[in-house]
Amino acid sequence: MKVSDTIAALLAENRKFAPPQEFAAKAFFNDPSVYDRAAADPVAYWEEWARKLDWFEPWTKPLEWNPPFAKWFVGGKINACHNCVDRHVAAGAGAATAIVWEGEPGDVRSLTYEELQCEVARAANALKALGVGKGDRVCVYMPMVPELAITMLACARIGAAHSVVFGGFSAESLEERIQDAGAKVVVTADGGWRRGAIVPLKKAVDEALELGCPTVEKVLVLRRAGEPGTVTNGLATPEYDRGSWVEGRDVWWHDLVPGQSAQCPCEPMDSEDLLFILYTSGSTGKPKGIVHTTGGYLTGVSATFRYVFDIQPEDLYWCTADCGWITGHSYVVYGPLANRAHVLMYEGAPDTPDKDRFWRIIERHKATILYTAPTAIRAFMKWGTEYPERCDLSSLRLLGTVGEPINPEAWVWYHQHIGGGRCPIVDTWWQTETGQIMISPLPGLTETKPGSATRPLPGVSIGIYNDLGEDLYAEHIRRVQAGEATDSVGGYLVLTQPWPAMLRGIYGDPERFKRTYWSRFPGAYFTGDGAKVDEEGYVWLLGRVDDIMLVAGHNISTMEVESALVDHPAVAEAAVIGKAHELKGQAIAAFVILKAGYQGGPEIVDELKAHVAKKIGAIARPDDVIVCADLPKTRSGKIMRRLLRDVAEGRALGDTTTLADPNVVNALKDKYESAG
Ligand code: WT7
């Protein structure tokens, strides 16, 4: 058997999960004809969704496409905040719950749509009082508290663009992002709770502004942590660095916002006006400010939220992502609120005070939908089933994942131990750049296979290209439909038609925009991901193409080897890289975390090597297996393979500033070197 065949065998999960009948019966989409209808005229399909929003003035042209520049709903006038808040109040739903929030100390706040409207209007007037107007940029560097969403909406209300920077980023990263966006105001908090400690946000803002940032005129500071000793739900704020107070620049939120009028009109924005910038780290060089505009973005996220999560009026929806990521923008704030959903938000860590925190939250608030990341799910698996088992998770009816390929073992664990075997799982593929979910099951319609994101959503066109830029996808799907396909094909994942929430550029750098996404395959958007489509037409994401190894002339994806490793009962998590090798081109090195109760040592190392060889083929047998306690991850949970390659190839470590915990990789380096 060829290696590619064995890999296909590994990925061809036999297990299939049909939507439960009861779920399908009530689901928003349960008729497959929607795919054909959307494919026949994708622009008309998206227009139908745009019409469900409130527009101050209609568009004159649905799409203007001058590759790579798209304009959606040209000439339309719209306001994102109006659509997320005011129109629901106007429709009589002011008393409905918008946000239920739980702080890490266990304090709870709940806001109705009417209360949200008042809070947002006051915050918007406060921003105006600080000199913010239409077209300005506001940097938001806050903990996961309701005021974070309120600030985003307040910006949208007055036509200022927000640039949310995740509270885990350092002062230097913050400074770089503030400067690039030319922000006029920074909105922050004294600190936020994380793992029982206070993240000193205001201190980081002080440092960032000392480093530069001449455009910043004012800093608006929410009091969240308070003075050390302040008691929140029985927990005293520990000591933390509160930074300094700069008179004339710094303004307390509680001194400015509550006194503002609760009347503030929503600025009519052009459909293509900037809604926000969100920075995403490039593999090299400075972060890219991804530009999203108003009408198309709101259409894309409100539509996909509606049908991917099959939202029903009684649902309580919880997406665990921080608003500092695109997931928080599209599926905590804009998508859900545009649908008048009830949204749960949580401030802190999943293991504080104990490893059952997420399950306690679901039990307490009776959440019905949970959307989280594979890296979190693997951590839960490692911690063990006792934590979910001690909580009542019977309110859940739908689960979702996003952020990286989910290995089938984690999928099945999530399905069984969190979903109780009854909840469909939507594995949603998308990017900061796509703005909206692109590839995902429809939970009432799609039979799922663990590990596959299944197929592109209605209205989305993908391609899988080979090195020559030839599309393999369309022909393969034709063969699948004709019953002729017996194999799978793989290559580079591209998007072949514009979609409403697509990025409009990289802030201030159109050349980089063209070069990064549109130069590899002219006319198509290159995602940077590899993908396969199997004999039934299911799409399998293979990770970033820079994560494909070339071992003795064979392409092997790091994810395939990782998947084989975590299939072994002893392995909780694995990261695989290709390291330079004289003979083979690349050799495989695997870093593994063992489950509780398993010990490292030469036996397990040999066993794991043999296990991979058995699952994939001898060609994929790792040269090195290193048992470790932790893996170097970014703050969004992505494994930094670049650093693992540095370790395996014995180089000095490259840039480690975006790591969640830089100590992890230093410890690994020592361990690798001492293992010889
Ligand atoms: C990259 C985008 C989209 C919000 C979070 C990440 C990977 C994302 C999946 C998935 C396989 C996935 C891709 C993509 N990715 N979701 N369901 N299956 N891979 O946003 O930081 O812009 O990262 O995450 O590699 O390109 P991001």
Side-chain angles (χ1 to χ4, degrees):
M1 201 152 66
K2 283 198 320 229
V3 172
S4 55
D5 293 338
T6 31
I7 289 172
L10 169 72
L11 288 181
E13 267 286 327
N14 300 322
R15 289 167 287 195
K16 271 204 195 175
F17 296 80
Q21 231 164 26
E22 211 189 322
F23 190 103
K26 286 197 299 183
F28 183 78
F29 273 147
N30 47 22
D31 176 355
S33 68
V34 60
Y35 287 102
D36 291 336
R37 191 164 59 77
D41 192 346
V43 175
Y45 171 79
W46 291 119
E47 251 187 312
E48 234 176 79
W49 281 100
R51 277 194 209 100
K52 296 184 202 287
L53 299 171
D54 260 9
W55 294 77
F56 300 131
E57 276 176 43
W59 57 93
T60 52
K61 212 176 158 191
L63 172 66
E64 215 175 272
W65 178 222
N66 299 310
F69 300 103
K71 289 184 180 166
W72 280 89
F73 312 118
V74 182
K77 298 274 182 280
I78 188 168
N79 183 286
C81 180
H82 168 83
N83 274 281
C84 290
V85 183
D86 300 70
R87 71 166 168 152
H88 306 319
V89 177
T97 304
I99 296 175
V100 182
W101 169 85
E102 185 168 317
E104 195 184 78
D107 42 338
V108 169
R109 271 174 67 194
S110 169
L111 288 161
T112 64
Y113 274 94
E114 197 159 20
E115 288 163 342
L116 182 63
Q117 185 183 36
C118 293
E119 298 280 326
V120 169
R122 287 197 180 97
N125 281 326
L127 289 173
K128 282 187 184 171
L130 295 176
V132 178
K134 187 172 173 174
D136 288 334
R137 276 84 54 216
V138 173
C139 175
V140 185
Y141 184 67
M142 296 180 91
M144 233 351 227
V145 292
E147 285 81 0
L148 172 47
I150 288 167
T151 303
M152 291 165 72
L153 292 164
C155 290
R157 193 173 189 89
I158 62 174
H162 50 74
S163 162
V164 183
V165 177
F166 174 55
F169 276 118
S170 65
E172 275 124 282
S173 305
L174 177 63
E175 180 238 0
E176 195 176 13
R177 287 158 174 76
I178 293 173
Q179 300 248 45
D180 188 79
K184 197 169 190 180
V185 163
V186 179
V187 184
T188 189
D190 49 2
W193 287 86
R194 178 94 196 162
R195 225 161 252 134
I198 300 299
V199 182
L201 297 167
K202 173 59 166 59
K203 166 77 165 53
V205 172
D206 289 345
E207 281 177 23
L209 299 195
E210 270 160 38
L211 291 166
C213 311
T215 54
V216 174
E217 293 169 12
K218 299 283 179 187
V219 178
L220 183 60
V221 190
L222 178 79
R223 187 144 73 198
R224 162 62 184 148
E227 305 281 312
T230 307
V231 176
T232 307
N233 202 39
L235 271 185
T237 299
E239 281 297 334
Y240 69 104
D241 193 335
R242 279 167 291 157
S244 50
W245 193 260
V246 178
E247 284 305 329
R249 183 196 76 183
D250 299 348
V251 183
W252 280 112
W253 178 290
H254 58 258
D255 285 340
L256 184 67
V257 180
Q260 300 291 319
S261 156
Q263 302 295 318
C264 175
C266 290
E267 195 70 35
M269 302 300 286
D270 189 272
S271 178
E272 281 300 329
D273 275 339
L274 182 59
L275 178 62
F276 65 85
I277 305 169
L278 183 61
Y279 287 86
T280 175
S281 45
S283 47
T284 52
K286 68 175 199 154
K288 303 183 287 250
I290 302 301
V291 168
H292 283 290
T293 60
T294 310
Y297 173 80
L298 203 62
T299 300
V301 301
S302 60
T304 50
F305 178 76
R306 177 70 187 86
Y307 47 82
V308 171
F309 297 102
D310 185 48
I311 197 79
Q312 305 284 345
E314 57 285 355
D315 276 318
L316 179 63
Y317 160 88
W318 184 23
C319 166
T320 65
D322 190 282
C323 285
W325 311 116
I326 190 68
T327 310
H329 285 62
S330 301
Y331 299 108
V332 174
V333 179
Y334 291 109
L337 297 179
N339 279 282
R340 199 206 280 171
H342 314 306
V343 177
L344 183 60
M345 263 174 97
Y346 170 57
E347 176 186 32
D351 54 356
T352 304
D354 203 352
K355 295 185 171 69
D356 61 3
R357 185 59 187 270
F358 274 22
W359 324 126
R360 292 276 172 225
I361 290 172
I362 289 170
E363 177 179 70
R364 180 176 187 187
H365 303 284
K366 301 198 168 40
T368 60
I369 303 176
L370 175 67
Y371 188 32
T372 193
T375 180
I377 297 165
R378 285 193 298 269
F380 301 142
M381 277 176 83
K382 182 174 142 199
W383 294 341
T385 52
E386 61 191 277
Y387 298 101
E389 271 162 13
R390 50 162 99 129
C391 301
D392 177 6
L393 302 181
S394 62
S395 55
L396 289 172
R397 64 176 202 97
L398 177 66
L399 304 174
T401 76
V402 60
E404 55 182 312
I406 180 163
N407 49 296
E409 296 318 306
W411 194 105
V412 168
W413 187 92
Y414 193 35
H415 187 258
Q416 271 176 2
H417 296 286
I418 307 306
R422 71 183 178 277
C423 305
I425 297 181
V426 287
D427 174 357
T428 62
W429 178 90
W430 57 297
Q431 308 178 303
T432 304
E433 292 87 342
T434 69
Q436 64 180 73
I437 297 172
M438 302 295 280
I439 305 178
S440 165
L442 292 175
L445 202 52
T446 316
E447 218 180 335
T448 50
K449 294 188 190 182
S452 166
T454 74
R455 63 182 290 189
L457 288 178
V460 171
S461 302
I462 69 166
I464 295 182
Y465 285 8
N466 64 16
D467 282 304
L468 302 174
E470 297 161 337
D471 183 33
L472 310 174
Y473 182 75
E475 168 59 12
H476 186 81
I477 293 298
R478 192 200 59 73
R479 288 170 56 222
V480 168
Q481 280 163 358
E484 295 164 11
T486 52
D487 56 353
S488 63
V489 295
Y492 304 101
L493 179 67
V494 301
L495 300 166
T496 54
Q497 294 292 328
W499 64 98
M502 69 191 283
L503 77 166
R504 299 300 196 266
I506 294 178
Y507 194 68
D509 201 343
E511 285 314 310
R512 191 176 181 196
F513 171 60
K514 290 187 201 159
R515 194 172 65 239
T516 310
Y517 304 107
W518 304 92
S519 65
R520 175 105 187 226
F521 303 115
Y525 169 89
F526 178 40
T527 64
D529 282 357
K532 286 189 184 198
V533 51
D534 71 15
E535 72 290 349
E536 293 182 306
Y538 281 71
V539 177
W540 299 77
L541 278 308
L542 300 177
R544 309 295 299 171
V545 287
D546 20 322
D547 296 341
I548 304 278
M549 303 172 290
L550 193 62
V551 182
H554 298 280
N555 281 313
I556 299 177
S557 130
T558 53
M559 178 236 151
E560 288 162 328
V561 180
E562 286 163 8
S563 198
L565 283 163
V566 294
D567 173 71
H568 189 281
V571 177
E573 182 151 19
V576 165
I577 51 119
K579 64 169 194 171
H581 187 279
E582 254 183 301
L583 299 176
K584 299 194 258 190
Q586 282 188 311
I588 298 175
F591 297 80
V592 299
I593 302 177
L594 298 181
K595 284 188 190 147
Y598 289 92
Q599 289 292 313
E603 282 108 79
I604 191 86
V605 165
D606 289 342
E607 198 178 315
L608 291 176
K609 288 181 182 175
H611 186 74
V612 175
K614 181 163 145 272
K615 295 281 305 188
I616 306 182
I619 185 79
R621 174 193 292 271
D623 277 25
D624 306 322
V625 171
I626 293 91
V627 174
C628 49
D630 231 327
L631 290 166
K633 288 188 186 160
T634 62
R635 293 180 185 87
S636 59
K638 285 201 165 51
I639 294 166
M640 288 190 75
R641 291 202 172 70
R642 171 170 66 72
L643 294 175
L644 292 176
R645 274 191 295 270
D646 291 343
V647 169
E649 293 177 354
R651 262 193 308 274
L653 295 174
D655 183 11
T656 57
T657 53
T658 57
L659 279 178
D661 178 2
N663 296 325
V664 168
V665 70
N666 290 322
L668 253 181
K669 194 169 164 60
D670 293 345
K671 176 138 196 196
Y672 201 92
E673 279 159 10
S674 66

